[in-house]
Amino acid sequence: STLMQSNLAPIPELYVSYDSAQKLKVEAGDLTSHDLTPRQICDLELLMNGGFNPLKGFLTEEDYNGVVEDMRLANGTLWPMPINLDVSEAFAETIELGQDIALRDQEGVILATMTVTDKWVPNKSREAEKVFGADDEAHPAVNYLHNTAGNVYLGGPVTGIQQPVHYDFRGRRDTPNELRAYFRKLGWRKVVAFQTRNPLHRAHQELTFRAAKEAQANLLIHPIVGMTKPGDVDHFTRVRCYEAVLDKYPQSTTSMSLLNLAMRMAGPREAVWHGLIRANHGCTHFIVGRDHAGPGKNSAGEDFYGPYDAQDLYRANQSEIGCEMVDFKHMVYVQERAQYEAVDEIEDKDDITILNISGTELRRRLREGLEIPDWFSFPEVVKELRRTSPPRSDQGFTVFFTGFSGSGKSTIANALMVKLMEMGGRPVTLLDGDIVRKNLSSELGFSKEHRDLNIKRIGYVASEITKNGGIAICAPIAPYAATRRHVREEIEQFGAFIEVHVATSLEECERRDRKGLYKLAREGKIKEFTGISDPYDVPTNPEIAVETENLDVDNCAHQVILKLESMGLIAG
Ligand code: PPS
């Protein structure tokens, strides 16, 4: 028959034709333009290529309210995730309703234009509560919402000019319509998608293989290469791993495509969103596991969502999602039988040995260079992971001192540097507060804005050093907890971050007053002086706090060395 299956017919995109795009691109050069953030680029790509169908642009205020309150657009359509163009207040002030703006990527290339129909200040706490389940910054998306996202949202329809440019794995990226056409061509009527942001090991291979068999469907491995949870294995490494695993499936039943989605780790809502996206990509089935897209623990140390909340919400909305749920078979390795089995199908549990290696345990073994058994993963995958995650003792790291002026940060940092250089092995760079302010941050003062800028610059340099296998020692006051946290996140992508609170009391610092600054601050001759006329957020969870009042410098530095040893960062 010529009738096309609904999951395989083309879906609407937001792109204009090639000729119009050329013209529009020139015209858009005169428009006010917004430089998209990495997350907005991901969102825009899926808006334009139909991955977020039926959205036609960034949400309007009315749609946003409906989505936040009960997962529905104003017209009643199911849509669980706010997709907003967040901008700064300063930028928003320059925009009038009805105005067209150009949306540029980070190199300045115009990807789209947008007609701004809505502009509003969202209630971020409400968004956090409703969408992510709690206004708790331990949730990566809530943290993003409060600390990275702009305070004003712009909404309105988008006109697509061109796709964001990708230089990596080009042949493995497909738009929804490209995948639909591919399935059509191969005659794949049923396709079960597997969402992942982690490397695949044998258990995943088994479960996806089984899911496909059960649904009598072909399998699409559909990993996220946009933005995942901070701290995840980078997508370059993962894709090389996926390519190795792809060979382990029966040929011609399984395919892989990369999805440039910016995840929010929103658990249940995220599962529904993922299903809608997969339906747009021509899939008929979707695997939802235990704790799907879970963000980890909240600030009280508990899980944000129940382990099966995602499956429940998905099931309740399945008919509207248009992509049937295949629930995750929890696969475990049975040592006596040397094979993986679905845990709910094992009857003789008392007589057998079930082996398992958690994600945490895997990371520990990589970090410490320990064995990763063959039953757990594929040798090719382990080899890739070891290439990117050498043992901790071969990785770079950052020691970040924080404390009041005159607390002894610089002195201890210097001693630490000398001790590390004595040991040898890695290059060491000291980014001392005073030194940084003479060069890297020479034009900055001590307002909150300038201090944050100063710390972010130090964090940037330290993250580059850490990434390249060196040791960065930083010693600024760094009075703001949120900024320290930002730096920690940036660095922990590449190596360890050791926050050292030099816990000398303000009274003691003032008594010592080594530079005579406290006296001037008391007299009002220095304004905004930390501890006197400016705040200092005492670190709540530093890796180590050193007391300088009863210990000499050498001893304080030695304490840090011991900590580094216990973390496996330096050979004992
Ligand atoms: S910050 O807040 O982290 O950006 O500060 P930092 O770069 O570490 O710079 C702190 C040093 O600058 C001197 N100084 C002041 N400190 C705090 N508040 C005010 N208003 C101020 N004005 C000058 C002071 O010598 C600090 O040096 P340290 O090494 O901390 O004693």
Side-chain angles (χ1 to χ4, degrees):
S1 97
T2 51
L3 207 63
M4 217 182 267
Q5 265 175 271
S6 66
N7 65 309
L8 299 184
I11 54 163
E13 299 184 349
L14 305 184
Y15 294 111
V16 292
S17 71
Y18 180 80
D19 286 340
S20 313
Q22 297 314 305
K23 205 165 143 258
L24 186 56
K25 196 164 185 165
V26 176
E27 290 166 7
D30 295 330
L31 298 177
T32 301
S33 66
H34 169 69
D35 295 335
L36 297 157
T37 63
R39 183 160 108 176
Q40 291 168 347
I41 293 178
C42 291
D43 287 351
L44 180 66
E45 177 168 346
L46 285 152
L47 280 171
M48 294 192 297
N49 71 17
F52 288 168
N53 177 57
L55 303 192
K56 300 288 179 233
F58 288 97
L59 294 187
T60 62
E61 185 173 4
E62 203 190 357
D63 283 335
Y64 167 79
N65 286 328
V67 168
V68 169
E69 285 299 329
D70 51 28
M71 307 208 305
R72 292 193 180 269
L73 302 173
N75 68 8
T77 308
L78 179 70
W79 189 266
M81 196 59 65
I83 306 296
N84 301 109
L85 191 73
D86 58 287
V87 299
S88 68
E89 278 139 9
F91 181 78
E93 270 168 30
T94 68
I95 305 297
E96 277 169 28
L97 294 189
Q99 187 178 337
D100 284 349
I101 61 172
L103 303 179
R104 295 178 190 259
D105 72 7
Q106 297 201 310
E107 283 178 17
V109 177
I110 301 179
L111 303 178
T113 63
M114 166 173 159
T115 305
V116 181
T117 59
D118 291 63
K119 168 167 105 172
W120 74 102
V121 176
N123 179 343
K124 290 187 175 181
S125 294
R126 178 186 70 141
E127 182 178 332
E129 291 280 355
K130 294 276 180 180
V131 179
F132 305 111
D135 193 6
D136 180 343
E137 292 187 17
H139 192 299
V142 175
N143 181 36
Y144 185 96
L145 183 63
H146 286 300
N147 299 309
T148 306
N151 287 332
V152 183
Y153 288 174
L154 303 182
V158 158
T159 304
I161 294 174
Q162 70 167 74
Q163 297 191 42
V165 183
H166 300 288
Y167 298 107
D168 56 333
F169 308 113
R170 294 175 64 127
R172 292 262 186 219
R173 296 171 186 267
D174 303 283
T175 67
N177 281 328
E178 282 167 347
L179 268 187
R180 285 170 173 239
Y182 177 75
F183 298 153
R184 210 155 59 220
K185 184 167 174 182
L186 294 186
W188 288 13
R189 303 178 63 83
K190 285 202 225 166
V191 182
V192 55
F194 181 63
Q195 138 85 31
T196 182
R197 44 170 264 266
N198 286 312
L200 299 186
H201 303 296
R202 286 189 198 272
H204 305 105
Q205 198 273 340
E206 292 283 344
L207 93 86
T208 49
F209 182 56
R210 280 197 179 218
K213 265 210 304 209
E214 256 167 53
Q216 298 188 42
N218 287 93
L219 177 64
L220 177 72
I221 310 287
H222 209 194
I224 305 300
V225 296
M227 293 169 77
T228 61
K229 197 175 151 194
D232 281 348
V233 177
D234 70 89
H235 82 266
F236 297 103
T237 304
R238 284 189 289 113
V239 176
R240 292 193 297 267
C241 290
Y242 300 140
E243 286 180 334
V245 177
L246 211 52
D247 293 341
K248 318 288 175 193
Y249 291 93
Q251 262 188 0
S252 82
T253 63
T254 302
S255 189
M256 174 171 80
S257 179
L258 307 179
L259 182 63
N260 196 40
L261 176 70
M263 291 181 70
R264 314 301 210 247
M265 309 310 298
R269 278 195 183 227
E270 182 114 2
V272 172
W273 188 40
H274 286 174
L276 288 164
I277 294 166
R278 270 38 183 239
N280 285 330
H281 284 79
C283 303
T284 54
H285 293 73
F286 183 59
I287 300 174
V288 182
R290 192 184 174 283
D291 195 26
H292 187 96
K297 306 273 183 214
N298 65 20
S299 51
E302 293 148 5
D303 287 334
F304 275 92
Y305 315 115
Y308 298 103
D309 289 0
Q311 292 185 353
D312 293 343
L313 191 69
Y314 197 102
R315 202 173 288 113
N317 291 281
Q318 178 156 290
S319 61
E320 282 173 273
I321 296 171
C323 199
E324 198 175 311
M325 177 167 80
V326 178
D327 47 19
F328 186 95
K329 307 289 162 235
H330 187 57
M331 303 299 295
V332 292
Y333 186 74
V334 180
Q335 187 174 33
E336 285 78 2
R337 298 196 275 270
Q339 66 184 3
Y340 278 87
E341 298 179 16
V343 77
D344 53 333
E345 288 169 16
I346 301 178
E347 279 160 12
D348 51 348
K349 280 202 189 65
D350 294 338
D351 310 326
I352 55 165
T353 318
I354 289 179
L355 298 182
N356 188 31
I357 294 180
S358 67
T360 313
E361 174 62 9
L362 176 65
R363 281 190 292 278
R364 187 185 75 89
R365 291 192 186 196
L366 286 169
R367 205 163 55 228
E368 295 175 18
L370 302 174
E371 196 222 336
I372 295 164
D374 245 20
W375 62 261
F376 175 74
S377 193
F378 304 100
E380 300 91 331
V381 172
V382 174
K383 192 170 145 230
E384 276 304 333
L385 293 179
R386 286 202 197 281
R387 278 216 297 161
T388 0
S389 328
R392 274 254 154 124
S393 57
D394 291 338
Q395 284 178 21
F397 62 87
T398 292
V399 181
F400 192 96
F401 290 89
T402 168
F404 289 117
S405 169
S407 57
K409 300 182 301 287
S410 311
T411 323
I412 303 170
N414 259 298
L416 176 67
M417 175 173 73
V418 171
K419 283 178 187 292
L420 289 169
M421 287 167 76
E422 180 185 1
M423 290 177 189
R426 283 172 283 207
V428 190
T429 300
L430 177 60
L431 296 159
D432 190 25
D434 269 352
I435 301 169
V436 168
R437 282 192 170 270
K438 286 205 179 77
N439 43 70
L440 190 63
S441 291
S442 59
E443 86 287 18
L444 299 183
F446 290 89
S447 63
K448 166 148 200 319
E449 196 191 353
H450 276 192
R451 287 180 198 262
D452 282 348
L453 205 50
N454 179 40
I455 300 308
K456 284 182 180 166
R457 287 178 188 172
I458 293 172
Y460 174 71
V461 175
S463 77
E464 287 296 309
I465 291 168
T466 303
K467 180 170 85 184
N468 291 303
I471 300 173
I473 304 175
C474 315
I477 298 179
Y480 298 109
T483 323
R484 293 193 299 257
R485 179 177 162 151
H486 170 92
V487 170
R488 173 187 292 273
E489 278 164 10
E490 194 172 20
I491 284 163
E492 283 183 343
Q493 302 171 54
F494 308 117
F497 180 83
I498 301 93
E499 185 173 339
V500 184
H501 179 206
V502 181
T504 317
S505 67
L506 183 65
E507 295 69 38
E508 176 66 12
C509 294
E510 189 166 4
R511 197 186 56 74
R512 293 181 194 163
D513 203 4
R514 289 181 49 198
K515 300 177 187 166
L517 297 174
Y518 283 94
K519 182 169 174 293
L520 296 175
R522 285 287 180 206
E523 293 166 5
K525 291 182 183 145
I526 302 179
K527 304 265 180 289
E528 302 178 305
F529 197 84
T530 306
I532 306 296
S533 42
D534 220 50
Y536 179 79
D537 303 340
V538 176
T540 46
N541 268 319
E543 272 65 17
I544 164 169
V546 291
E547 298 293 338
T548 63
E549 275 148 74
N550 308 310
L551 281 181
D552 65 18
V553 173
D554 191 78
N555 232 311
C556 292
H558 190 63
Q559 277 191 41
V560 180
I561 293 277
L562 291 177
K563 184 73 195 176
L564 298 177
E565 268 177 21
S566 77
M567 292 173 76
L569 292 164
I570 48 184

